[in-house]
């Protein structure tokens, strides 16, 4: 989304260079194809690098593969950038990578390019990443065993067990790679952040103040950047969701979705179903087959491709058909959240889903599964105060049906839900302003664009 604004608002030509660990997903190709066919995006090119493999590493976790994907793609990346440099000469001014791609900074320096990080999560997590190298030196043992929570500048305290998944085992390669990359954040010419001050005021203000220190690069809060609208033609099951919502009262439906890859165990899936039934509330649930390897699974784990409906409690679909719709695998999330009938969102707390909910003014039930989502849940419940978080049973690691029913009713018809609804409305209005013509996010992106354009002047 940053690339689209740089193209449309600041007349940049953008080339997306994509390292791969296999064939590009259909979703990724569709997004980029849509962007390329948009008349406003005629200055967008896409280059897929040859897939890397990990045959030399045994039992590599998916997050480790993500960390290593760019490192093992440096040689072809260098060749692509050298080719672009030859074509564009001094007009090739910068390289933007994600937080796992800091090894590419060395190539950028070779070619006299500015280096930037596009940070795709929250300011709180960026603050943690900037602090991690120092934490690694200070703390002994595992973070989850610490007696005191981690305290980040102007953020709510975070208990060790709620920190990012890759830091939960300090002996793991993923942790060592994360410390390595976050230590290199300071080498960036700037960090582009997909968030905005009204959502994370304390954390962002602290990051902006810390720019004055030589060890911290400038931060550009340019969010919220989200994709809107359906990509491609409306399929029958997508249309079914929206038609069903058309027939529901305003603000009455809880949307339940765990993102593009989130799964639950069989027992947790059943507790969720029974909790939704007990709540008596309307719901639209995107359901997937359970993953019984862990209580809270993800696409990082083994998936079961059987019919998800076969794992629901007996009679559940029949009992709830008057007030609930269950669909498999996918729903048009942006359209669902924008629909007037949607009054709440039970989410895994992925940052894209979070921002989509904020932009559409929908309060949340925070149900984190993996990656950075527990930290996002802390931010949403304790700092931004736009979400409720159910309690997990410590004995079995499950959220019970009674807890689910209670928290769903509280969000959809209780006083706490009303308070959250008012708060998220304020944040929604702020989100509209910051990306407006004179908004803070628009100005931050303009400042970045000006900084990049000034590099071309240095050569002339």
């Amino acid at each position: 989304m940053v690339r689209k604004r740089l193209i449309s608002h600041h007349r940049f030509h953008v080339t997306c260079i994509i390292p791969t660990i296999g064939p590009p997903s259909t979703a990724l190709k569709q997004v980029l194809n849509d962007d390329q066919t948009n008349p406003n995006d005629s200055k967008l090119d896409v280059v897929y690098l040859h897939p890397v493999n990990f045959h030399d590493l045994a039992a590599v976790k998916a997050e480790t593969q993500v960390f290593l994907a760019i490192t093992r793609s440096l040689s072809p990346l260098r060749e692509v950038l050298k080719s672009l440099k030859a074509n564009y000469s001094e007009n090739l001014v910068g390289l933007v990578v994600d937080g796992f791609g800091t090894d590419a900074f060395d190539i950028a320096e070779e070619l006299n390019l500015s280096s930037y990080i596009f940070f795709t999560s929250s300011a709180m997590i960026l603050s943690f990443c900037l602090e991690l190298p120092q934490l690694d030196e200070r703390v002994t043992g595992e973070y989850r065993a610490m007696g005191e929570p981690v305290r980040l500048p102007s953020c709510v305290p975070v208990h060790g067990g709620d920190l990012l998944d890759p830091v939960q085992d300090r002996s793991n390669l993923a942790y060592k790679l994360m410390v390595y990359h976050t230590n290199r954040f300071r080498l960036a010419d700037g960090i582009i952040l997909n968030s905005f001050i009204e959502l994370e005021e304390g954390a962002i203000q602290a990051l902006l103040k810390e720019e004055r220190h030589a060890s911290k690069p400038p931060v550009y809060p340019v969010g919220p950047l989200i994709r809107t609208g359906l990509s491609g033609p409306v399929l029958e099951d997508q249309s079914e969701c929206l038609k069903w919502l058309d027939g529901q009262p305003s603000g009455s439906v809880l949307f339940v979705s765990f993102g593009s890859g989130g799964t639950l165990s069989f027992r947790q899936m059943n507790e969720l179903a029974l909790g939704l039934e007990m709540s008596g509330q309307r719901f639209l649930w995107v359901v997937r087959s359970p993953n019984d390897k862990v209580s809270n699974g993800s696409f990082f784990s083994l998936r079961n491709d059987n019919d998800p409906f076969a794992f629901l409690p007996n009679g559940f679909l029949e009992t709830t058909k008057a007030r609930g719709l269950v669909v498999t695998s996918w729903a048009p999330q942006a359209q669902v959240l924008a629909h007037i009938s949607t009054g709440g969102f039970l989410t895994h707390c992925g940052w894209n889903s979070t921002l989509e909910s904020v932009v559409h003014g929908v309060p949340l039930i925070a149900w984190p599964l993996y990656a950075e989502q527990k930290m996002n849940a802390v931010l949403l419940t304790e700092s931004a105060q736009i979400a409720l978080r159910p309690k997990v049973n410590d004995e079995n690691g499950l959220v019970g049906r009674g807890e689910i029913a209670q928290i769903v009713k509280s969000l959809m018809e209780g006083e706490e839900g009303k308070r959250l609804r008012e708060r998220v409305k304020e944040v929604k209005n702020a989100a509209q302003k910051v990306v407006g013509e004179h908004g803070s996010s628009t100005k931050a992106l303009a400042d970045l664009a000006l900084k990049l354009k000034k590099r071309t002047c240095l050569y002339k």
Side-chain angles (χ1 to χ4, degrees), residues 157-224:
V158 184
H159 292 282
D162 279 332
L163 297 176
L164 289 67
D165 277 3
V167 308
Q168 292 299 330
D169 180 356
R170 297 180 72 180
S171 67
N172 194 282
L173 177 59
Y175 175 75
K176 294 177 172 61
L177 288 170
M178 187 159 185
V179 173
Y180 166 78
H181 283 292
T182 55
N183 193 46
R184 287 172 61 84
F185 277 22
R186 59 188 172 82
L187 302 177
D189 291 293
I191 299 175
I192 307 163
L193 174 66
N194 191 10
S195 190
F196 59 105
I197 290 177
E198 286 78 2
L199 179 61
E200 300 187 81
E201 184 171 5
I204 290 179
Q205 293 288 13
L207 288 168
L208 295 177
K209 282 182 183 178
E210 289 178 7
E211 290 179 13
R212 300 169 189 169
H213 301 294
S215 61
K216 302 285 177 69
V219 175
Y220 300 89
V222 300

Side-chain angles (χ1 to χ4, degrees), residues 200-441:
E200 300 187 81
E201 184 171 5
I204 290 179
Q205 293 288 13
L207 288 168
L208 295 177
K209 282 182 183 178
E210 289 178 7
E211 290 179 13
R212 300 169 189 169
H213 301 294
S215 61
K216 302 285 177 69
V219 175
Y220 300 89
V222 300
L225 301 173
I226 64 170
R227 284 187 62 84
T228 57
L230 285 170
S231 181
V234 179
L235 302 179
E236 184 177 350
D237 58 342
Q238 301 168 10
S239 177
E240 178 191 9
C241 292
L242 302 178
K243 287 179 180 177
W244 182 82
L245 283 170
D246 288 342
Q248 309 307 313
S250 176
S252 67
V253 176
L254 176 72
F255 179 46
V256 182
S257 176
F258 295 98
S260 58
T263 58
L264 302 174
S265 69
F266 173 70
R267 289 181 64 194
Q268 185 62 86
M269 183 175 170
N270 270 258
E271 290 298 312
L272 177 55
L274 295 172
L276 291 172
E277 182 179 346
M278 287 174 60
S279 76
Q281 303 299 308
R282 290 177 171 83
F283 63 88
L284 168 59
W285 182 9
V286 182
V287 68
R288 293 188 179 87
S289 299
N291 179 332
D292 279 327
K293 291 180 71 66
V294 289
S295 293
N296 289 324
S298 74
F299 64 88
F300 292 157
S301 308
L302 183 65
R303 294 287 297 277
N304 186 327
D305 293 325
N306 293 326
D307 177 11
F309 287 176
F311 298 93
L312 293 170
N314 290 334
F316 171 76
L317 293 174
E318 182 66 23
T319 303
T320 60
K321 68 179 181 180
R323 55 182 174 79
L325 178 65
V326 182
V327 297
T328 59
S329 298
W330 194 86
Q333 180 165 295
Q335 284 68 33
V336 170
L337 291 172
H339 201 284
I340 192 171
S341 295
T342 302
F345 183 17
L346 192 158
T347 173
H348 64 311
C349 301
W351 194 239
N352 286 335
S353 292
T354 295
L355 291 179
E356 286 180 3
S357 201
V358 165
V359 165
H360 296 299
V362 179
L364 304 155
I365 293 176
W367 191 308
L369 297 179
Y370 54 88
E372 87 287 13
Q373 294 163 12
K374 288 181 181 178
M375 279 191 76
N376 288 343
V378 172
L379 162 67
L380 296 171
T381 55
E382 298 180 29
S383 180
Q385 297 184 0
I386 57 173
L388 303 177
R389 187 175 181 180
K391 296 182 178 65
V392 176
N393 187 313
D394 291 335
E395 293 181 4
N396 54 30
L398 296 176
V399 181
R401 65 192 72 172
E403 173 69 10
I404 294 166
Q406 185 276 325
I407 207 164
V408 168
K409 289 179 70 174
S410 180
L411 181 74
M412 299 303 293
E413 62 179 31
E415 289 302 316
E416 201 166 13
K418 291 178 183 177
R419 177 180 59 78
L420 264 62
R421 201 160 282 108
E422 286 300 314
R423 167 62 183 152
V424 80
K425 183 179 178 181
E426 294 173 2
V427 181
K428 172 188 174 180
N429 292 337
Q432 293 172 342
K433 290 179 182 178
V434 297
V435 295
E437 183 179 358
H438 303 292
S440 59
S441 294

Side-chain angles (χ1 to χ4, degrees), residues 129-139 143 183 216:
C129 289
L130 293 170
E131 294 286 329
L132 181 58
Q134 290 75 38
L135 279 172
D136 181 63
E137 293 178 358
R138 260 192 343 259
V139 177
Y143 298 113
N183 193 46
K216 302 285 177 69

